[in-house]
Amino acid sequence: MTTAKGKAKSKPKVLITPKSFANYKDTIYPIIEAQGYEIIENRLGRTMTEEEIIGIASLGVVGIIIGIDPLPANVLERCVDLRAISKYGMGMDNIDLDKARELNIEVRNAAGTNNVSVAEHAIGLLFAAARRISQNVADVKRGNWQRVMGIELTGKTIGLVGGGQIGREVALRAKGIGMQVMLYDPFLRDEAYLTDNGIRRAEQLETLLEQSDVVSLHLPYTADTKHLINERTISRMKRSALLINTSRGELVNEDALYEALASNRIAVAAQDVFSVEPPEAGNKLLGLDNFLLTSHTGAFTKEAVERMATVSTRNLLEMLAGANEGSN
């Protein structure tokens, strides 16, 4: 297409930041390009910085499929043509939703795409923590044939903080291995789900912490949930308790967690997330045998990645179509 002066009119651009999205470029990219958009990939092999996003998306980028890369207010203000943000996953704490709303930028997440994968990873961390599997494996590989005492999970109580899609999937799997399930979520109104699945509601977080053998976090990171697990809340937990976190690292005060684990105030913590990813070399938590950390792989399965790519693309194209209609 050319303008009256003969210059080719540039296509509107879509920025795609998640590294794993490229696994489906042969099937997904043609769908985006068929709608008249030029694709810009994140080819850095890592999460983009604010400055890098601004450098690419300040002009001409109308849509972004975003992973965990930062989209705070100052970035959104600089991306003057941006009309739609599609989250490749669920959590949207890396996006300033208030500023997006102010700038008339529509935002959607890929709901229902990774809840099974993250729930399965949480259960995997639960078994690893209960049976000290990573510690035992490391000892054996060093030539030490020493047994490490674990605990059974059958009959134990798991307390779930958060009853969204992932928390519910964890609850069902925990019931399947014979655990008692308690759930704290002041926003959950589905009493039938609790009754039908034999799940006990905790009216207060403190009640859940005091009565649970395992505490598993399944809630978003917000100003209200930052450092939900801290010195005070840890003090309410059993000394034998396990802590599982597959949500966000910022939910846990890591200094308080270190002190609790180092002094055996709680038994084990297993996380898939950290406040700074990757953690700095020599981080004190990484030196503890009773602290397990995986590299934010909860949603990183073939099935979940494929669903997230498909749904986040569909969401983006729907939002852009709506924005185009509104501008006509």
Side-chain angles (χ1 to χ4, degrees), residues 132 151-153 155-159 179-180 182 200 205-215 229-243 257 260-261 263-269 290:
R132 304 294 185 98
I151 63 168
E152 290 184 352
L153 294 172
K156 299 294 194 301
T157 296
I158 183 171
M179 300 188 77
Q180 303 297 314
M182 180 185 299
R200 182 157 56 101
L205 175 63
E206 289 72 15
T207 302
L208 180 143
L209 296 174
E210 292 168 355
Q211 297 183 14
S212 297
D213 301 294
V214 179
V215 175
I229 302 301
N230 53 52
E231 183 178 3
R232 180 185 63 80
T233 51
I234 288 173
S235 72
R236 307 297 290 265
M237 297 169 64
K238 297 181 180 180
R239 299 189 73 89
S240 58
L242 314 179
L243 174 66
L257 179 61
L261 292 171
S263 64
N264 294 312
R265 179 60 194 76
I266 61 173
V268 186
N290 57 346

Side-chain angles (χ1 to χ4, degrees), residues 5-23:
K5 294 183 178 181
K7 286 188 176 181
K9 183 178 180 181
S10 61
K11 293 181 179 180
K13 298 177 179 65
V14 167
L15 171 62
I16 300 176
T17 72
K19 300 183 291 295
S20 60
F21 199 102
N23 294 332

